[in-house]
């Protein structure tokens, strides 16, 4: 399927649809080539866009195509015949307005024929042609315009002025912008049962050399585009180590926004198991397998085949688990350190002055003169044993007496 690429027409975006089958473990190549996408540096801006008018008539009986005029995007229009100088012309702002209509003054009978408006963009490899049939009449009531099924037909009155329309307001005729930002290729993948608007992006590749890969690491390693894609115009996607999970719909999108190029190629990929070799068993007369009874109804043998995942995918999942465990340990250590620090702050007591200054206890003096009134108060104490308690009570209940032994001796001696 091959149709022109036009972003305004959804039916013309898809340029190819292919079904591709490959075996497990092999390498599949999804071809995506476009020689229109081989972009070189535009060094001749004034010569890349050109429009020219040709006419094919049989008035003189020579049956030949004649060039009437042409005009470049950065130059003046050129009229080839001196007879047509000042008589035929195109608008001066044609490349700005996209209107390349041809004006013919004083229409003569020799102007009758088939005209073609040819639009060329050499840099973007775009070539368009618009054909118009011009007929001359001498009766004013016969002047008319109609469509013959292939091209417009204009019947003009002889001696009048006629305009042959050729309008192209497509954005490809605007001035060129940054080349690297206008050219991009990307691949998408739709797993089975997934709609197109939810497709997974695989790769973005720009003409500047910038590359963006999406998805897990093992997907980015097995699906790739060569670095020389823009030099060779080959944007094929290579898928290595095919698995059943690689099945789906792949699409290659080619965009050149400046040139108005929007193409899409679609591939349906199927993965099949490799064909195994059949072993030939020689049966002797002593070991013959019993014949199959046609009367016995045998059911279908269903074999479930489990395809192991690739090692790269296994190591990637293991890495995720280890990273999560390491993060949990780090968080646990942080919580323990914070808790211990707060406990240490609870046991500390810092006496500070007003204004966040340390208080020196030596600066304060204690007046002990007022403590004398509290000396005679009873002091209730707890004692460890009864002996100390008894001694204390005796000391408190019986005040100490002063005994003068010499006094008694003197009394006895006097008697």
């Amino acid at each position: 399927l091959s149709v022109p690429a036009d972003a305004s027409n959804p039916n013309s975006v898809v340029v190819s649809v292919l079904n591709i089958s490959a075996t497990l473990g092999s390498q599949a190549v999804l071809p995506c080539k476009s020689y229109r996408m081989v972009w070189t540096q535009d060094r001749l801006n004034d010569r890349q866009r050109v429009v020219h008018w040709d006419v094919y008539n049989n008035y003189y009986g020579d049956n030949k195509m004649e060039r009437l005029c042409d005009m470049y995007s950065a130059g003046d229009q050129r009229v080839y015949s001196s007879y047509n100088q000042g008589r035929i012309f195109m608008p001066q702002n044609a490349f700005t307005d996209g209107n390349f209509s041809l004006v013919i003054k004083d229409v003569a009978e020799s102007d009758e024929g088939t005209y073609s408006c040819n639009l060329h963009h050499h840099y973007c490899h775009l070539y368009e042609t618009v054909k118009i049939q011009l007929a001359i009449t001498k009766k004013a009531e016969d002047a008319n315009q109609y469509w013959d099924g292939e091209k417009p037909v204009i019947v003009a009155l002889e001696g009048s002025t006629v305009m042959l329309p050729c309008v192209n307001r497509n954005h490809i005729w605007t001035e060129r912008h940054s080349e690297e930002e206008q050219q991009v290729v990307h691949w998408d993948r739709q797993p089975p049962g997934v709609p197109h608007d939810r497709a997974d992006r695989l790769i973005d590749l720009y003409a500047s050399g910038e590359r963006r890969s999406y998805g897990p690491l093992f997907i980015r390693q097995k699906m790739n585009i060569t670095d020389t894609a823009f030099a060779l115009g080959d944007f094929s996607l290579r898928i290595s180590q095919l698995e059943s999970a690689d099945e789906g719909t792949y699409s290659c999108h080619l965009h050149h926004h400046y040139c108005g190029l929007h193409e899409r190629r679609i591939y349906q990929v199927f993965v099949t198991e490799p064909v195994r070799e059949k072993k030939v068993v020689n049966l002797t007369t002593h070991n013959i397998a019993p014949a199959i009874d046609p009367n016995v109804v045998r059911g279908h043998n269903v074999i479930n085949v489990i395809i192991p995942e690739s090692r790269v995918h296994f190591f990637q999942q293991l890495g995720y688990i280890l990273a999560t465990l390491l993060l949990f340990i780090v968080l646990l250590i942080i919580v323990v350190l914070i808790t211990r620090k707060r406990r240490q702050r609870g046991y500390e007591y810092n006496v500070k002055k007003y204004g966040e200054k340390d208080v020196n206890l030596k600066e304060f003096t204690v007046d002990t003169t007022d403590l004398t009134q509290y000396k005679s108060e009873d002091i209730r104490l707890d004692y460890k044993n009864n002996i100390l308690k008894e001694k204390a009570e005796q000391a408190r209940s019986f005040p100490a007496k002063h005994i003068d032994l010499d006094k008694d001796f003197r009394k006895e001696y006097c008697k």
Side-chain angles (χ1 to χ4, degrees), residues 209-370:
E210 181 182 357
R211 178 191 297 262
R212 299 176 184 174
S213 299
Y214 303 89
L217 179 61
F218 74 98
I219 291 291
R220 288 180 284 172
Q221 289 178 346
K222 69 183 303 182
M223 299 184 182
N224 199 4
I225 305 176
T226 60
D227 296 332
T228 59
F230 281 97
L232 303 177
D234 185 359
F235 309 95
S236 303
L237 179 68
R238 288 170 174 79
I239 308 174
S240 59
Q241 298 179 358
L242 277 173
E243 300 176 290
S244 59
D246 295 330
E247 288 188 348
T249 303
Y250 292 78
S251 56
C252 174
H253 301 257
L254 306 179
H255 297 285
H256 195 309
H257 303 289
Y258 167 65
C259 292
L261 176 63
H262 302 278
E263 296 180 355
R264 182 159 58 99
R265 292 160 173 79
I266 300 176
Y267 305 92
Q268 187 71 32
V269 177
F270 302 95
V271 181
T272 59
E273 295 185 7
V275 179
R276 299 179 181 178
E277 297 181 357
K278 296 182 179 181
K279 297 181 179 180
V280 179
V281 180
N282 295 327
L283 300 177
T284 61
T285 56
H286 300 286
N287 188 14
I288 300 176
I292 299 175
D293 189 357
N295 297 324
V296 178
V297 179
R298 299 180 181 272
H300 296 283
N301 295 327
V302 179
I303 301 176
N304 296 325
V305 179
I306 300 176
I307 301 174
E309 296 182 349
S310 62
R311 293 183 177 179
V312 178
H313 182 62
F314 170 77
F315 286 119
Q316 182 185 9
Q317 298 298 330
L318 181 60
Y320 289 156
I321 296 174
L322 293 177
T324 304
L325 182 60
L326 180 60
L327 180 60
F328 175 78
I329 294 174
V330 172
L331 293 176
L332 182 60
I333 294 174
I334 293 174
V335 171
V336 172
L337 293 177
I338 293 175
T339 305
R340 182 177 297 177
K341 189 173 181 179
R342 288 186 177 179
R343 287 181 178 179
Q344 291 176 356
R345 289 181 179 178
Y347 294 117
E348 294 178 358
Y349 179 77
N350 297 325
V351 181
K352 297 185 177 181
K353 287 185 176 181
Y354 178 77
E356 296 183 358
K357 292 184 179 180
D358 295 338
V359 178
N360 189 2
L361 297 179
K362 295 181 180 181
E363 296 178 0
F364 297 90
T365 59
V366 178
D367 188 6
T368 58
T369 57
D370 298 332

Side-chain angles (χ1 to χ4, degrees), residues 345-399:
R345 289 181 179 178
Y347 294 117
E348 294 178 358
Y349 179 77
N350 297 325
V351 181
K352 297 185 177 181
K353 287 185 176 181
Y354 178 77
E356 296 183 358
K357 292 184 179 180
D358 295 338
V359 178
N360 189 2
L361 297 179
K362 295 181 180 181
E363 296 178 0
F364 297 90
T365 59
V366 178
D367 188 6
T368 58
T369 57
D370 298 332
L371 299 178
T372 55
Q373 59 181 344
Y374 300 102
K375 290 182 180 180
S376 61
E377 292 184 357
D378 295 339
I379 301 176
R380 304 181 64 89
L381 301 175
D382 293 333
Y383 301 94
K384 296 182 179 180
N385 49 55
N386 296 329
I387 297 175
L388 295 178
K389 183 177 181 181
E390 184 178 355
K391 290 181 178 182
E393 290 179 354
Q394 292 177 358
R396 294 168 58 186
S397 59
F398 302 101

